[in-house]
Amino acid sequence: MSETPIDSSKRTWLIASGCAGAVGGVATAVPFVSTFQPSEKAKAAGAAVEVDISDLKPGEKVTVEWRGKPVWIIKRTPEQLAALPSLDAQLADPKSERKQSELTPEYARNEARSIKPEILVAVGICTHLGCSPSDKFVPGAQPSLPNDWKGGFLCPCHGSTFDMAGRVFKNKPAPDNLEVPPHMYLSETKLLIGEDKKA
Ligand code: FES
């Protein structure tokens, strides 16, 4: 591939991050690293996507596309994070331990379902029949939600509700928490969606 010696783990990282030209020869040997972001074709094939979250403020969400799916990145407020433990008894699988959660990466099998507590990365597709849940970040009583609502998501199709960690409430049609895709931090403010250290 190249005369430049590269150990395989480093090479994987370079391919995954789309780090164009960082090591001479690799960029030409692997076509989709020739631009900063993967090409449309590579994205469709599942290439990882880099996201700069330096502008994301507490309470905000950005959506990126990975493998044709919407991936939400949400910066939770201290209040939203503080509410999570109080909800455990109302949730179907608060620690993402059920068999259905087999795909939940190890680093997301915690209450916040995330690597950094404040940043949630989740696939925005309901685990029931695939609708896209709506943001219901504002706490308090409102249509289709309980009076003590602490913020989260409501799936408009059949009423499944999820908390601010994408954890599904009990006795809802959705059988599982929202999927957490493989992801990792390339720096303090740069996320890579679709690859993690084990890749
Ligand atoms: S698709 Fe979300 S509740 Fe049915």
Side-chain angles (χ1 to χ4, degrees):
M1 169 185 285
S2 162
E3 289 179 14
T4 309
I6 313 163
D7 70 60
S8 63
S9 61
K10 174 94 168 162
R11 186 159 51 86
T12 302
W13 188 89
L14 287 166
I15 291 167
S17 66
C19 190
V23 178
V26 173
T28 49
V30 184
F32 69 75
V33 297
S34 59
T35 56
F36 184 70
Q37 284 290 345
S39 69
E40 288 306 313
K41 200 170 156 202
K43 271 204 281 187
V49 179
E50 271 189 40
V51 190
D52 183 345
I53 56 167
S54 50
D55 289 338
L56 195 62
K57 297 188 179 50
E60 286 184 351
K61 174 178 116 173
V62 291
T63 303
V64 298
E65 186 186 335
W66 171 67
R67 293 192 176 173
K69 304 180 202 174
V71 174
W72 298 338
I73 302 163
I74 297 161
K75 187 164 192 176
R76 292 171 287 204
T77 64
E79 295 75 24
Q80 288 167 341
L81 273 178
L84 295 179
S86 70
L87 296 169
D88 283 12
Q90 302 173 49
L91 302 168
D93 182 19
K95 302 277 193 286
S96 299
E97 290 166 339
R98 293 194 315 189
K99 195 162 169 46
Q100 292 94 320
S101 298
E102 234 160 30
L103 294 178
T104 300
E106 202 64 45
Y107 44 78
R109 292 191 183 199
N110 52 54
E111 205 140 53
R113 303 190 78 228
S114 58
I115 299 173
K116 293 184 185 187
E118 67 274 24
I119 304 290
L120 174 69
V121 179
V123 174
I125 296 178
C126 181
T127 53
H128 182 216
L129 296 176
C131 292
S132 187
S134 311
D135 299 348
K136 295 289 175 187
F137 295 174
V138 178
Q142 50 206 294
S144 306
L145 294 171
N147 290 345
D148 62 349
W149 182 247
K150 300 267 195 318
F153 309 91
L154 168 68
C155 184
C157 293
H158 313 94
S160 291
T161 44
F162 303 85
D163 74 354
M164 287 302 297
R167 301 179 298 173
V168 68
F169 281 81
K170 279 180 182 165
N171 305 317
K172 298 292 178 185
D176 202 8
N177 297 334
L178 297 181
E179 177 189 350
V180 174
H183 64 282
M184 61 188 282
Y185 285 85
L186 300 177
S187 71
E188 263 306 296
T189 55
K190 200 164 278 184
L191 265 168
L192 185 66
I193 311 292
E195 296 281 357
D196 54 25
K197 292 197 173 74
K198 291 194 215 105

